[in-house]
Amino acid sequence: MDTSNDLVTLKVNDREYSRAVAGSITLLDFLREELNLTGTKRGCDLGECGCCTVLIDGRPMLACLMLAADVQDRVITTIEGLADGPALHPVQQAMVEEGAIQCGFCTPAMALSAAALLWDNPDPDPAAIKRCISGTICRCTGYTKIEAAVRRAARSVQEAGDD
């Protein structure tokens, strides 16, 4: 067992954090236990459910499969950093309006994946939306409302871009 501690510096939600942590600590544990950012959910811990998804350099990645030291100096966005202060991100707002929150366990991962999709493709077709959210398992089995929320968010982003 590795008991040595390494200094890890991560930029999370536009803020830099440095902590001495065991080299074996996952990004998920670093976020939840060191930074108290509990919006990133612990699901299967095997990379199968997608609930621990965060954005690393704007791309959805599984925090349970990454060591914190491996993302040193990279830009990490958690659900706590998706909103712009009190203003929800268009995906978060659309999820509220469409009733897509459901039990809420998969919501952070779904919202982050959808935000990344809309940054790359502000006008996704239904197949792109299904692919985007397919990496996260919804235990409520309510994908219809989540897909509707991503479509609504896409329209919102497009309308904001037209202004």
Side-chain angles (χ1 to χ4, degrees):
M1 178 176 198
D2 180 11
T3 58
S4 64
N5 288 332
D6 298 320
L7 181 62
V8 174
T9 302
L10 302 178
K11 186 172 184 181
V12 181
N13 301 334
D14 296 323
R15 185 171 167 198
E16 190 170 292
Y17 297 91
S18 293
R19 299 281 194 282
V21 296
S24 59
I25 189 169
T26 65
L27 178 58
L28 176 62
D29 288 335
F30 185 87
L31 294 170
R32 290 184 58 86
E33 296 170 19
E34 295 292 326
L35 304 184
N36 200 30
L37 296 172
T38 57
T40 305
K41 302 301 182 200
R42 178 182 309 281
C44 66
D45 257 345
L46 299 170
E48 295 179 4
C49 74
C51 290
C52 65
T53 299
V54 297
L55 301 180
I56 299 177
D57 298 332
R59 310 308 269 164
M61 307 287 278
L62 299 174
C64 75
L65 297 182
M66 305 189 83
L67 296 176
D70 288 343
V71 290
Q72 172 100 356
D73 298 323
R74 297 187 56 195
V75 175
I76 299 156
T77 305
T78 69
I79 195 66
E80 290 90 347
L82 190 60
D84 184 13
L88 294 177
H89 183 277
V91 170
Q92 293 171 306
Q93 185 64 45
M95 292 182 96
V96 169
E97 292 169 357
E98 291 290 339
I101 301 297
Q102 304 170 133
C103 83
F105 200 77
C106 71
T107 302
M110 294 282 192
L112 288 165
S113 294
L117 170 67
L118 297 181
W119 289 330
D120 288 344
N121 177 7
D123 188 21
D125 63 25
I129 293 171
K130 285 181 187 281
R131 259 192 320 276
C132 163
I133 63 173
S134 68
T136 304
I137 295 173
C138 170
R139 288 163 175 83
C140 301
T141 66
Y143 294 93
T144 302
K145 290 182 178 182
I146 296 167
E147 292 170 22
V150 178
R151 286 193 301 274
R152 180 186 280 248
R155 286 191 303 274
S156 175
V157 167
Q158 291 169 13
E159 290 169 6
D162 292 341
D163 292 340

